[in-house]
Amino acid sequence: MAAALALVAVILAGAVLPLWSALPQYKKKITDRCFHHSECYSGCCLMDLESRGAFCAPRARITMICLPQTKGATNIICPCQVGLTCISKDLMCARRCHMI
């Protein structure tokens, strides 16, 4: 009886464990500490110069200063929200999020 239960447990584990990796991983919310932008639900891990760490931050909204893309593990400025494009309308001004 115990051997049969052990066999069923092994079969179920073999069927369930491969599916486990397909499940979405837990993403951190805004203000949670992070090491890489992929950890954050927003996709932006912003450097915190005061604490020498980083935290998850929201993406830039319309007319906010932005970066065109995420490079490396952490950012000093976040990229734009979905639907916005990070462009500079004036060569003397920083890039900002705009709808195109």
Side-chain angles (χ1 to χ4, degrees), residues 49-97:
L49 299 176
E50 290 180 13
S51 70
R52 294 189 177 129
F55 63 95
C56 293
R59 288 181 167 257
R61 295 183 306 272
I62 195 161
T63 70
M64 290 180 69
I65 294 176
C66 59
L67 285 177
Q69 63 186 2
T70 302
K71 289 187 176 182
T74 58
N75 296 330
I76 54 170
I77 302 172
C78 289
C80 297
Q81 291 178 340
V82 175
L84 300 176
T85 305
C86 187
I87 59 170
S88 178
K89 291 190 173 183
D90 182 0
L91 295 175
M92 300 302 288
C93 296
R95 293 174 182 252
R96 294 186 180 270
C97 295

Side-chain angles (χ1 to χ4, degrees), residues 10-49:
V10 168
I11 291 171
L12 288 176
V16 172
L17 286 179
L19 297 176
W20 184 260
S21 62
L23 294 174
Q25 300 297 318
Y26 170 74
K27 296 283 187 170
K28 296 179 178 182
K29 60 184 186 290
I30 305 302
T31 70
D32 286 351
R33 306 230 355 119
C34 58
F35 295 100
H36 195 271
H37 61 86
S38 63
E39 297 175 41
C40 302
Y41 183 77
S42 66
C44 183
C45 184
L46 199 62
M47 288 182 203
D48 185 0
L49 299 176

